[in-house]
Amino acid sequence: MEALLEDLAAAHRPSSPVGRIPASIPHLSAADPLGFGIAVATVEGEVFGAGDADVPFSIQSISKLFSLALALAGDPGEALWRRVLREPSGTAFNSLVQLEAESGIPRNPFINAGALVVTDFLMERLGDAGEAVLAFLRGLSGSARITVDGDAAAAELAASSRNRALAHFLADFGNLHNPVDAVLTHYVRHCSIAMSCRDLARAGLFLARGGVASPDGPRVLSADNAKRINSIMLTCGMYDAAGEFAYRVGLPGKSGVGGGILAVVPGRCTVCVWSPGLDAKGNSVAGTAALAELTARTGWSVF
């Protein structure tokens, strides 16, 4: 496995900057444009890495996967799903038009409006949603070093005009129960968590193990909810390029505009890849290409 990951790192590390860095989140421009890391964590407990696998990066929307898991871990029944749907959006992840047209019910938990609702839901149940997601990730990864980048969170909150508009739409439709500013603060904090590929691959393993965190560890989610999160990742996890990712890679995946992608091979492993240059849909150019080659060479796929 180490040799395969080294091959992928050598083949897919950009030799010159590729794609783009989102201008709406200024601190992301500090990332090395030639950076590339990849890690695989197996259900048996082994972790392999190559390239910049131990370099922390801003996980951004990958945090939405863990905020959703934390919400479902509280066994909410259908309470959460009455406030957010489970359908692909087909529009930009921060679309205002779709949210208004659909009366304030976001299409899925991975677009920004849906993640704001999940954050609001966690605040009602746990109080400090940002801190709860951070503690959850520390426990899952086994790393107490994971932190929120406070400067990045402050900068991102100051540039949150579109998310603030989404939150006000949600509140106007009665689908946000806490004050808008408080929800935005908690949301931005969990999006500003910094982690490495190795830590993220470990943290996501409960989705490859049917909801169990480690071979001898506790159950994080029911097997049914783990399956459901994987299915939402497959159909909604890559913004409005989920179909293309399923076609090229063949795995459930969740991306973030920090350049990371976490993919799940049920029953076998999780894979995390990072490279900051993004395509037009907001997904890592080099990361997607590396995952496509990985699944082609290993035969790992849900299809």
Side-chain angles (χ1 to χ4, degrees):
M1 179 56 68
E2 290 279 6
L4 172 57
L5 296 187
E6 292 289 351
D7 281 353
L8 293 171
H12 294 283
R13 180 186 294 276
S15 57
S16 60
V18 297
R20 62 181 182 85
I21 304 295
S24 60
I25 307 178
H27 66 272
L28 295 182
S29 63
D32 178 3
L34 308 185
F36 181 92
I38 187 168
V40 171
T42 71
V43 296
E44 293 81 20
E46 295 181 291
V47 183
F48 306 92
D52 301 317
D54 295 303
V55 173
F57 61 91
S58 184
I59 68 173
Q60 292 294 309
S61 285
I62 299 175
S63 74
K64 298 171 183 176
L65 163 62
F66 296 97
S67 61
L68 175 61
L70 193 55
L72 294 178
D75 191 24
E78 291 300 308
L80 178 64
W81 300 123
R82 285 192 288 269
R83 298 177 58 188
V84 59
L85 303 177
R86 303 181 291 266
E87 297 295 334
S89 67
T91 60
F93 59 86
N94 57 359
S95 173
L96 288 162
V97 175
Q98 186 175 62
L99 185 62
E100 183 177 24
E102 298 185 345
S103 302
I105 305 296
R107 277 287 183 97
N108 66 70
F110 295 153
I111 57 175
N112 288 14
L116 286 166
V117 170
V118 173
T119 300
D120 182 65
F121 186 87
L122 285 176
M123 289 171 68
E124 291 185 286
R125 291 188 166 226
L126 302 176
D128 191 331
E131 193 62 31
V133 175
L134 177 61
F136 189 47
L137 282 166
R138 284 174 171 171
L140 290 171
S141 66
S143 174
R145 300 168 300 172
I146 296 168
T147 61
V148 174
D149 184 333
D151 291 341
E156 194 165 337
L157 187 62
S160 285
S161 296
R162 177 61 69 102
N163 283 336
R164 193 174 302 277
L166 288 169
H168 279 294
F169 265 103
L170 290 165
D172 189 61
F173 282 108
N175 202 10
L176 213 63
H177 301 163
N178 289 281
V180 164
D181 285 346
V183 175
L184 281 171
T185 298
H186 286 259
Y187 169 74
V188 166
R189 277 186 63 77
H190 68 67
C191 287
S192 298
I193 291 170
M195 296 178 70
S196 69
C197 290
R198 200 181 296 270
D199 286 338
L200 262 173
R202 284 197 197 98
L205 265 175
F206 70 98
L207 293 171
R209 289 196 182 103
V212 178
S214 62
D216 55 353
R219 176 166 291 281
V220 176
L221 285 178
S222 68
D224 282 348
N225 276 332
K227 176 190 72 175
R228 289 163 183 155
I229 290 180
N230 279 327
S231 70
I232 298 170
M233 289 173 68
L234 184 67
T235 57
C236 309
M238 305 296 293
Y239 305 122
D240 52 336
E244 179 67 15
F245 188 80
Y247 177 82
R248 291 183 64 188
V249 176
L251 295 173
K254 183 71 196 85
S255 64
V257 294
I261 303 173
L262 179 63
V264 179
V265 188
R268 184 183 294 271
C269 65
T270 52
V271 186
C272 184
V273 63
W274 167 76
S275 188
L278 308 179
D279 63 21
K281 302 295 188 181
N283 300 312
S284 173
V285 174
T288 302
L291 287 170
E293 183 176 345
L294 174 66
T295 57
R297 290 175 65 172
T298 59
W300 295 345
S301 173
V302 299
F303 301 108

